[in-house]
Amino acid sequence: MFHITNGDHANEWLEQAGVEGEFLSWDDVLHEGPVPTGLTLAELSQIRARFISFSGWATEFEALTHFQTRDARLIAAARQGEVVVWNSHELFDQLHLLQILSWYQQEGAGLPAPKLVFVDELLGAGVLGTERLQQLLEQAQPATAEQIACADDLWQLFTSSNPRGLAGATKQPITQFPFMQQGLQRMVEEYPDSQGLSRTERSILQGVIAGHDTPAELFRYVRDLEAIPFMGDASFWQIINGMFNSAQPLLRRIDGQSFELPDLYNLSESFRAQQLALTADAEILLSGQGNWLDQHQIDRWVGGVHLNPENRWLWDGADFTRY
């Protein structure tokens, strides 16, 4: 069998539990960066590699080589009909599931459907135990035609340049997948709200007010606010950096210096020691006045939507409006 999971920790966990076969980590933070519509798997991998390089998480060569190897392994296993997709309740996993099943609907049409394993725990946590894992694997069933079609429809909505269709989909139960609706509902909250702040950005400001004024403390605070954590620290540091480097900064360092991003694998002492505070503009926004996007030059992708000064969408908790 060929098992696809959300990361190396999950693979190690399954191997230690005695699950047999090959393992592949579907490593891509699809809720960050461009995921435009109408692309083949290979074309999207090129775009994602450029984004990862731009974010400083790997060189473009490293990222593209990783994706090309990942894609080739999926295609080879799919042709043999031995694929098992492990799906946890994290948003990270939900978007992977949509991408993979959409590939089966499009480029992989006619190939044997993968088996799906739904796990209501964080994969890699090791809390289920060997017996439970084996039981879940034995209960796995091939994705139905309805599930594959539903995933393809949702993937098209996620990659669309207009977010309204995805918002509509989140209002109805998505019965084909147990964790999908909650995951997608959380994703749309990363769009700017009526003050121009995403849910994560607003939580960061509230965390500073609550006294969590170092990057690591803020990350733990915001993560603990989530019913199901979905964002890794690398994405989180980039969001903080954007709140500093703005025409209207919302955060400042107590010592007046610029925000220091960490190395990918090393949180230096100087990074950890940074103490953050709100700017006066942030305090005004949190009082319910103004909109950050009046000054802030937003440049962020959410799925297929490129948020920029000419294309601003606000999420009011029920629907999208152009701003």
Side-chain angles (χ1 to χ4, degrees):
M1 303 300 291
F2 188 82
H3 303 274
I4 299 178
T5 73
N6 61 10
D8 291 333
H9 290 303
N11 290 342
E12 293 171 3
W13 176 34
L14 295 179
E15 287 187 276
Q16 292 171 2
V19 175
E20 298 181 352
E22 294 184 65
F23 298 87
L24 174 66
S25 301
W26 201 261
D27 295 324
D28 196 3
V29 187
L30 290 169
H31 55 77
E32 293 288 344
V35 192
T37 193
L39 302 181
T40 65
L41 183 61
E43 291 168 341
L44 182 56
S45 289
Q46 291 180 328
I47 288 176
R48 297 299 299 171
R50 285 196 291 271
F51 166 70
I52 287 171
S53 173
F54 177 80
S55 300
W57 299 336
T59 67
E60 186 172 345
F61 175 79
E62 290 169 336
L64 184 56
T65 299
H66 171 80
F67 284 137
Q68 288 174 336
T69 302
R70 179 201 71 177
D71 299 346
R73 292 185 68 197
L74 166 66
I75 293 169
R79 288 172 177 166
Q80 297 176 14
E82 298 180 344
V83 176
V84 180
V85 181
W86 293 76
N87 184 250
S88 182
H89 55 184
E90 300 166 89
L91 172 61
F92 189 74
D93 291 47
Q94 303 318 301
L95 299 179
H96 292 172
L97 182 62
L98 295 185
Q99 183 182 22
I100 293 168
L101 293 185
S102 177
W103 179 85
Y104 272 93
Q105 178 81 345
Q106 303 294 330
E107 298 175 72
L111 295 176
K115 289 185 177 181
L116 305 181
V117 182
F118 297 107
V119 185
D120 193 13
E121 298 285 349
L122 296 176
L123 278 174
V127 298
L128 294 180
T130 300
E131 184 176 343
R132 177 58 176 156
L133 278 177
Q134 293 291 350
Q135 183 183 47
L136 287 170
L137 183 57
E138 291 171 3
Q139 294 173 348
Q141 296 294 321
T144 65
E146 291 76 13
Q147 285 176 313
I148 292 175
C150 175
D152 184 54
D153 289 343
L154 292 172
W155 180 252
Q156 303 311 319
L157 293 175
F158 170 63
T159 60
S160 171
S161 60
N162 188 317
R164 287 194 172 115
L166 186 63
T170 64
K171 297 175 185 177
Q172 303 295 327
I174 303 174
T175 57
Q176 291 85 352
F177 307 108
F179 316 127
M180 188 66 65
Q181 184 176 17
Q182 184 175 12
L184 296 182
Q185 286 173 338
R186 176 62 187 88
M187 192 194 70
V188 298
E189 293 175 350
E190 284 304 288
Y191 280 86
D193 61 16
S194 58
Q195 265 71 58
L197 300 172
S198 71
R199 174 172 161 178
T200 298
E201 289 163 343
R202 184 174 290 276
S203 295
I204 288 170
L205 297 181
Q206 292 168 339
V208 175
I209 290 175
H212 306 282
D213 62 356
T214 67
E217 289 176 0
L218 271 176
F219 178 67
R220 287 191 294 269
Y221 171 83
V222 174
R223 180 192 59 194
D224 290 345
L225 292 177
E226 301 285 351
I228 303 172
F230 75 96
M231 182 178 293
D233 58 357
S235 297
F236 190 77
W237 311 142
Q238 293 286 357
I239 291 174
I240 290 181
N241 193 49
M243 298 172 76
F244 268 85
N245 297 310
S246 170
Q248 187 180 43
L250 302 184
L251 292 173
R252 60 183 178 85
R253 274 180 47 164
I254 296 295
D255 60 9
Q257 300 298 309
S258 300
F259 181 67
E260 174 189 333
L261 282 167
D263 294 335
L264 186 58
Y265 300 108
N266 177 36
L267 300 184
S268 66
E269 287 302 317
S270 59
F271 170 79
R272 293 175 183 274
Q274 297 177 101
Q275 286 187 284
L276 312 183
L278 270 57
T279 64
D281 288 326
E283 294 174 355
I284 291 172
L285 288 176
L286 287 181
S287 73
Q289 303 177 55
N291 190 306
W292 191 29
L293 301 186
D294 290 339
Q295 298 294 326
H296 176 60
Q297 300 293 299
I298 189 170
D299 183 10
R300 185 179 182 187
W301 285 81
V302 183
V305 179
H306 184 196
L307 296 168
N308 60 66
E310 286 71 47
N311 188 48
R312 300 180 297 189
W313 293 89
L314 302 185
W315 173 250
D316 65 4
D319 209 343
F320 286 101
T321 56
R322 292 295 294 269
Y323 181 69

